[in-house]
């Protein structure tokens, strides 16, 4: 009985050591994450095999696991860049990205955990300066924003693709010009719009004049054809028909007293 405390103490120490050992040997990787294994006595960062995936893992207590988020992330950046004519433009952009899953070990080994600040953001800034420098403020303000966004994305992707980063999209959220330049551009756009509207009205008036001319010419031709077809005989026949119709009217008294110079009857009468 006296020996039990002496035996129990070492057992307790062993149990505590086992608990510490197990706690140091287990790693749980959450959803959307992956782990890079660092072997303290085995060559450092493991780069020749895939990273540790989601879930529970057992590793040697003297090794380390560095956890990275591998789902899509977004980073925002506000920049001051120069246009083609040297004016300062404020650009508000963001990028959708994620680390290259199968090369996560190389990313950690060569770039480190702060790869966004070391690689991605400087590359976006450089690409934005290069792209915006090709355009004038007028183009940046109006029609070229989509083209600029696409070019920044392509130039950034070309660089970070070799840096173990997967770039999904670059979004240009806002382009801010100096107030004086913005007002001048808006004034110019209004003048261009007014000029286009004036040209439209002129074109419309021109087409209407042409339509009226064609209509008048058509009527003139029709009158010429009609005049050529109306002989004296036809006119007399039409006059007689009209006289007969007038004579049948209940509102007039008709007396035929002879014929006129054109051979038609003379009609005299009055309304009742």
């Amino acid at each position: 009985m006296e020996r039990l405390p002496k035996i129990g103490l070492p057992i307790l120490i062993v149990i505590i050591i086992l608990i510490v050992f197990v706690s140091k040997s287990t790693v749980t990787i959450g959803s959307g994450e992956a782990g890079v294994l660092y072997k303290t006595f085995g060559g450092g960062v493991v780069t020749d095999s895939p990273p540790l995936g989601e879930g529970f893992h057992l590793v040697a207590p003297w090794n380390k696991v560095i956890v990275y988020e591998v789902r899509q992330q977004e980073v925002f950046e506000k920049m001051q860049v120069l246009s083609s004519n040297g004016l300062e433009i404020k650009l508000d952009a963001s990028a959708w990205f994620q680390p290259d899953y199968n090369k996560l070990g190389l990313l950690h080994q060569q770039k480190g955990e702060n790869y966004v600040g070391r690689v991605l953001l400087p590359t976006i800034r450089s690409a934005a300066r290069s792209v915006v420098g090709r355009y004038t403020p007028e183009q940046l303000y109006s029609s070229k924003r989509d083209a600029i966004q696409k070019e920044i994305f392509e130039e950034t992707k070309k660089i970070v693709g070799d840096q173990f980063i997967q770039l999904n999209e670059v979004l240009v959220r806002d382009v801010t010009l100096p107030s004086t330049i913005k007002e001048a551009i808006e004034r110019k756009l209004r003048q261009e719009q007014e000029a286009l509207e004036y040209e439209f009205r002129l074109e419309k008036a021109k087409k209407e004049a042409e339509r009226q001319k064609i209509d008048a010419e058509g009527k003139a031709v029709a009158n010429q054809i009609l005049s050529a077809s109306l002989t004296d005989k036809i006119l007399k026949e039409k006059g007689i028909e009209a006289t007969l119709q007038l004579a049948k009217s209940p509102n007039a008294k008709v007396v035929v007293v002879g014929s006129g110079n054109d051979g038609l009857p003379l009609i005299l009468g009055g309304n009742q």
Side-chain angles (χ1 to χ4, degrees), residues 197-215:
E197 185 178 352
Y198 181 69
E199 290 178 5
F200 172 77
R201 290 201 301 269
L202 287 179
E203 185 67 21
K204 185 177 179 181
K206 181 180 177 182
K207 290 182 178 180
E208 179 62 20
E210 290 177 355
R211 186 194 67 78
Q212 292 177 358
K213 179 181 177 183
I214 292 171
D215 187 48

Side-chain angles (χ1 to χ4, degrees), residues 55-255:
F56 179 82
H57 298 274
L58 240 144
V59 297
W62 50 84
N63 293 336
K64 291 173 58 180
V65 175
I66 301 93
V67 178
Y68 280 81
E69 185 174 1
V70 292
R71 64 187 130 199
Q72 180 172 280
Q73 304 160 63
E74 184 174 21
V75 63
F76 297 88
E77 182 69 3
K78 292 185 177 182
M79 300 164 278
Q80 291 185 340
V81 294
L82 298 179
S83 64
S84 60
N85 54 1
L87 290 173
E88 189 176 88
I89 310 296
K90 292 181 180 179
L91 198 69
D92 187 359
S94 67
W96 294 347
F97 72 97
Q98 57 199 95
D100 188 335
Y101 184 88
N102 293 321
K103 297 178 180 179
L104 195 60
L106 289 170
L107 176 67
H108 178 72
Q109 184 183 60
Q110 298 183 23
K111 311 303 174 186
E113 296 178 69
N114 188 28
Y115 66 92
V116 174
R118 290 179 177 176
V119 178
L120 184 59
L121 290 179
T123 305
I124 292 174
R125 294 188 202 107
S126 175
R129 292 190 182 98
S130 174
V131 171
V132 172
R134 304 170 194 160
Y135 294 94
T136 64
E138 291 86 350
Q139 292 172 322
L140 295 172
Y141 184 76
S142 55
S143 60
K144 295 296 184 180
R145 183 173 299 191
D146 290 341
I148 293 165
Q149 179 174 289
K150 183 179 179 181
E151 290 179 26
I152 293 174
F153 168 71
E154 290 175 349
E155 291 202 13
T156 305
K157 185 176 182 178
K158 185 167 56 178
I159 296 173
V160 301
D162 297 330
Q163 307 296 320
F164 323 115
I165 301 171
Q166 177 183 318
L167 184 66
N168 300 330
E169 190 61 85
V170 170
L171 304 174
V172 175
R173 300 185 176 275
D174 188 35
V175 176
T176 304
L177 305 178
S179 57
T180 53
I181 301 300
K182 182 179 178 181
E183 291 170 2
I185 292 173
E186 290 177 345
R187 186 164 54 252
K188 180 181 177 182
L189 291 174
R190 283 196 301 270
Q191 291 171 351
E192 290 176 353
Q193 187 63 34
E194 290 171 356
L196 289 174
E197 185 178 352
Y198 181 69
E199 290 178 5
F200 172 77
R201 290 201 301 269
L202 287 179
E203 185 67 21
K204 185 177 179 181
K206 181 180 177 182
K207 290 182 178 180
E208 179 62 20
E210 290 177 355
R211 186 194 67 78
Q212 292 177 358
K213 179 181 177 183
I214 292 171
D215 187 48
E217 290 174 350
K219 288 180 179 179
V221 172
N223 289 335
Q224 289 176 2
I225 295 172
L226 183 61
S227 297
S229 65
L230 292 177
T231 63
D232 292 341
K233 185 176 179 180
I234 293 175
L235 290 172
K236 288 180 181 180
E237 183 180 349
K238 295 294 184 181
I240 293 170
E241 290 177 359
T243 302
L244 292 174
Q245 292 295 327
L246 182 61
K248 294 177 182 178
S249 172
N251 298 324
K253 292 181 180 180
V254 181
V255 178

Side-chain angles (χ1 to χ4, degrees), residues 243 254-260 264-269:
T243 302
V254 181
V255 178
V256 179
V257 295
S259 62
L264 295 175
L266 294 176
I267 307 301
L268 298 177

